Amino acid sequence: MTMTAWQCILTIAVVALGTLCTRFLPFLVFPESKQPPKLVEYFGKALPYAMTGLLVVYALRNTPILTGSHGIPELIACAVITLLHLWKRNMLLSTAGGTAVYMLLIQLVF
């Protein structure tokens, strides 16, 4: 199914509007001069850790531990991510480093 030019323009406009609303609305609802509610502060502290745990579970959910390489590349990559993060405290570096190690392991070793 193909879209007409107007449907494409309308789709892009709606997506852009939705993105702008989700980016700017929190700053309008909770300006810097006003203290946010305690629940919002709690979510701001708790959700990043919860999402990280969710992503780890999601990424490792289909790891074959009884066949093939028995999850060894995944385990090594997780260890590299953990060590890099403990060493440099940089999420981008640890994620990129772990991804690179995992890709090298599955392409060249396992």
Side-chain angles (χ1 to χ4, degrees), residues 3-98:
M3 294 172 46
T4 65
W6 283 110
Q7 288 173 329
C8 288
I9 291 169
L10 184 61
T11 301
I12 291 170
V14 168
V15 170
L17 182 65
T19 302
L20 287 173
C21 286
T22 58
R23 299 292 183 198
F24 293 133
L25 191 61
F27 294 104
L28 295 174
V29 174
F30 305 114
E32 277 191 62
S33 60
K34 201 166 90 174
Q35 182 72 16
K38 296 289 183 196
L39 183 65
V40 172
E41 288 181 352
Y42 170 74
F43 283 154
K45 292 176 183 162
L47 284 180
Y49 298 107
M51 289 304 300
T52 302
L54 181 74
L55 287 172
V56 168
V57 170
Y58 179 77
L60 298 177
R61 76 188 186 287
N62 292 328
T63 301
I65 57 172
L66 299 176
T67 61
S69 60
H70 304 289
I72 295 171
E74 290 85 354
L75 184 64
I76 293 171
C78 287
V80 168
I81 290 170
T82 303
L83 292 173
L84 279 173
H85 191 71
L86 289 174
W87 177 42
K88 289 292 186 177
R89 300 276 183 206
N90 185 327
M91 187 71 78
L92 182 61
L93 174 67
S94 55
T95 304

